[in-house]
Structure formats: C-alpha cells, structure tokens
Amino acid sequence: MFNLISLTKNLLHRPWQGRLSDYVTTMVWSADNKTLAAADGAGEVVLWAEGKLRYLQTGEGQSVDCLAFSKNGEFLAAGGQNGQVKIWRIESQGNQLITTLENRPNWLDRLVWNPIRNELAFSTGRYVQVWDVEAEEVAVTLNFETSSVLSMAWHPDGQHLAIAGHQGVKVWNVQDWDEDPEILEVPVTSLAIAWSPDGKYIAAANLDNTLAVWEWHNLRLWAMRGFPGKIRSLAWSQPLTELNFPILAVASAQSVVVWEKDADDSVGWQGRMLEIHTGIVQAIEFQPNTFLLASAAEDGSVCLWQKAKQLAQILPRAADKFSCLAWHPQGNKLAAGGANGELVVWSKVTRTQGFGKATID
C-alpha cells in the first residue's frame, strides 16, 4: 500500500484537455518554453500554446512517429510512415513549411536535433543523414552497416552522435565524420539509448532485456539484468545525487526500475522497483532540475514519484491508455497523450495541491 505525500510545490492540477483523431504517437516541448507539439497515428501534427490548439498538418492516414524542436525552438521537424521529413519554421506571426525531404519507401521514425547547432539527424534504414538547415544540404550520411538504425542521441555538447542497432552503439565525432566511430559493443541488439544530461554516461536498453551503462570518457561498462520485460523508455535525472551521479530510470512491463550509483565501485548501480501500474508503462520522464519522476501507462494512469522513490500523486484519470508524456522545460506543466487521441496538459497552481483538467478552446 502506498501513502500519497503532500508536495504543494511539485504537484500538478488544473488540466487542459483536447483530442486528436488517433493514437498520440509523440509529443515534445520547444526549448523556448512556449509551445507543445504533438502528433498522431492519422498523421496530424498540432501545436498547443496558452490553452489553444493549432493544426500544422491534418491527417492523411499515415502516422507521424517522431517530432523534435531545434535548440532554440525556431524549427520543428516531423517524420513518419510516408518517409518524409518535414521542417517548419515556428513563428508567432505564422508557421512556414521550409523543407520536405523524401526518403520513401523507408518508414522514418527517428530524428534528433543537434543541441547546439541547427543540424537534424534522421534515420533511413541502415543509414543516418544529418541535414544542415542553414546550408540546406546533407552534411553527412553515416552507415550503421550491421542493422537498421533503432535509436539515436546527440551528446549534450553536440560534438558526438550515438547510433544504436545490432551489436550495440556506434558514436561518431562531428569534428571528423570520416573517422571510424567509437564502438560500444553488446552481444545483442540495442533498442534505445540515452545520454545523461551531464554527458558523462550513455545507457542502452537491449533486446535481451538487459541495460548497459558506459562511462563515456573511459568506456567503463556496467550491465544490469533481471528486468520483468522489454525496456520501453529510459530517463536520466538532471540533478546529481550526494555521490555526484545522475539517477537512471527505465520502464519495463508494468514497472519502473530506478538505478542509483553506489559509493562502493564493486557494487556498481543499485536498483529499486516502483510498482503501482497495472498496465504496460509506456513513458517515463524526470521533471527538469528535480528528482520528481513521471510515469504513464496503458492502465490510464500517470503517476508522480517523489525523489524517484515514493508515490506522490496519481493524476486525475484522463485517458483509457496513455502512450507518451513530456515535461515542460520549466517543470510547471506536464503533457500526456492517449491511445484514443487524448491530449492532456496539467499545470501547477499556487497554494493548491494536485493537478487537474479542462476543455478544448
């Protein structure tokens, strides 16, 4: 039995709620803190700001599976089932589609912006292309070789691009794309990767339900096992523990497993299970600059875990099944998307406890 704890400064209420036409596939906040972008299985792309929903793209029956804002929120990129990469310039006066890159027949479901430059990496089968928005050209094409690309992540300093697939992770240096990549090997396929916000660690979720964590500068490897199922999501905390390490959380089956580095190097990372969901946990994410962890599941619940340890709040039920979530960069809003197109944004309100719900404008 969990006891809910009172945390007025962290908890959310007063939700806004709208609906897209289909399963919400992905959502992301802009770095300038103003706009939430979301997409669905019908191909819709919408922008939410100040309680208003605007359509960038109506649905044509082919899903949009990845969205990403550029470093300053100026550009939004989208990719999906039709093999296109679309890039819009997002402006207060209006939004302009500036680029459409054709990659048919490849289903395009992975794209990421460089955190310091207007360069977009996207996958097409075994290859990754990096598009330079300002030069309007492909800066480089990278061949992963051993399999299709399954995950990508830029190092926080923007100087390295990590790509995952069969037999691990390859990391390219942007200063010399032609140089052979650093290879982080695992005996199976790596399905998802994530850098820690301080750039010191990279984690990989693998096909055999294991988790690998490397210390980047010396490539020391820790391997974690015993997960209840496929690892669907990875999340690193921005703040560090008293031992000067970030916390790593993963979603696996109906559980969230949280890993903290032990003071004893021979022990490595210690794990703990957070269990209350009765459906598959689809997404997890730390509130920026805190250890408050949000988890969204197919059971229709979104939970907040204080210090990634104790259940602090179960948000008011707003969907039959949740598929994705995203914290606002300032941590004062939390957005979640549902399997039936539900789009919910919870906000913090002063001097009251909890998060809540509203209607579409």
Side-chain angles (χ1 to χ4, degrees):
M1 178 68 68
F2 287 93
N3 293 318
L4 300 191
I5 57 178
S6 176
L7 293 166
T8 305
K9 67 177 182 178
N10 279 328
L11 300 191
L12 305 175
H13 42 227
R14 202 187 64 180
W16 174 96
Q17 187 168 9
R19 186 178 292 272
L20 304 186
S21 297
D22 206 332
Y23 184 100
V24 180
T25 54
T26 182
M27 55 176 49
V28 62
W29 289 94
S30 64
D32 63 6
N33 307 325
K34 295 179 180 179
T35 307
L36 173 73
D40 72 2
E44 294 177 336
V45 179
V46 300
L47 298 178
W48 181 93
E50 298 178 351
K52 297 184 184 298
L53 200 63
R54 294 177 291 150
Y55 280 78
L56 266 186
Q57 175 176 290
T58 56
E60 298 177 351
Q62 293 182 298
S63 67
V64 171
D65 300 291
C66 47
L67 290 173
F69 275 106
S70 61
K71 61 183 180 66
N72 56 6
E74 182 181 2
F75 301 105
L76 175 69
Q81 186 178 0
N82 66 4
Q84 294 179 331
V85 177
K86 290 186 175 181
I87 302 175
W88 289 270
R89 188 187 302 274
I90 306 300
E91 298 176 324
S92 56
Q93 296 84 5
N95 307 304
Q96 178 186 4
L97 180 64
I98 62 168
T99 303
T100 300
L101 305 174
E102 295 285 353
N103 296 280
R104 298 174 185 178
N106 291 308
W107 187 320
L108 201 151
D109 57 358
R110 288 164 188 85
L111 50 78
V112 284
W113 287 95
N114 186 303
I116 63 171
R117 288 185 292 273
N118 287 326
E119 294 178 344
L120 178 73
F122 58 91
S123 62
T124 58
R126 295 172 183 264
Y127 297 91
V128 168
Q129 291 190 334
V130 179
W131 176 261
D132 186 324
V133 175
E134 292 162 6
E136 298 184 342
E137 64 182 16
V138 174
V140 68
T141 298
L142 305 172
N143 186 356
F144 190 77
E145 293 183 343
T146 53
S147 75
S148 294
V149 172
L150 298 178
S151 185
M152 296 185 298
W154 289 97
H155 189 280
D157 67 8
Q159 299 303 308
H160 295 86
L161 177 62
I163 303 172
H166 183 54
Q167 295 185 331
V169 182
K170 297 179 182 180
V171 185
W172 273 268
N173 188 329
V174 303
Q175 301 300 322
D176 189 354
W177 290 115
D178 293 328
E179 183 181 343
D180 289 339
E182 190 79 57
I183 298 177
L184 313 180
E185 288 189 77
V186 295
V188 292
T189 297
S190 293
L191 303 173
I193 53 175
W195 292 95
S196 62
D198 60 5
K200 292 182 178 179
Y201 305 94
I202 183 170
N206 304 312
L207 185 62
D208 59 355
N209 298 343
T210 62
L211 176 69
V213 176
W214 291 271
E215 189 172 14
W216 173 235
H217 293 297
N218 60 27
L219 297 186
R220 181 179 182 182
L221 170 64
W222 293 276
M224 291 78 150
R225 298 176 175 83
F227 294 95
K230 175 184 176 181
I231 299 173
R232 295 179 177 274
S233 185
L234 303 170
W236 289 97
S237 69
Q238 285 183 318
L240 305 179
T241 65
E242 293 180 357
L243 297 176
N244 208 33
F245 292 93
I247 294 175
L248 174 61
V250 303
S252 176
Q254 291 87 13
S255 302
V256 177
V257 186
V258 178
W259 296 91
E260 287 193 47
K261 179 68 172 60
D262 194 90
D264 185 347
D265 269 354
S266 65
V267 174
W269 296 70
Q270 296 267 47
R272 59 176 176 270
M273 199 93 73
L274 306 180
E275 296 180 293
I276 194 171
H277 290 292
T278 57
I280 299 296
V281 179
Q282 291 290 346
I284 55 174
E285 191 169 315
F286 280 98
Q287 184 186 45
N289 302 311
T290 79
F291 292 119
L292 184 70
L293 179 68
S295 58
E298 288 185 343
D299 57 17
S301 65
V302 172
C303 296
L304 301 182
W305 304 88
Q306 180 66 10
K307 296 183 179 179
K309 292 180 179 179
Q310 184 176 359
L311 182 64
Q313 187 179 8
I314 302 175
L315 300 183
R317 189 182 181 91
D320 292 332
K321 296 181 179 181
F322 277 110
S323 54
C324 53
L325 56 74
W327 279 105
H328 186 279
Q330 293 179 342
N332 56 5
K333 292 181 177 66
L334 177 66
N340 294 317
E342 302 93 341
L343 186 63
V344 188
V345 182
W346 290 275
S347 301
K348 284 201 292 190
V349 178
T350 326
R351 297 196 183 95
T352 30
Q353 295 184 6
F355 283 79
K357 211 193 285 194
T359 56
I360 189 168
D361 286 54

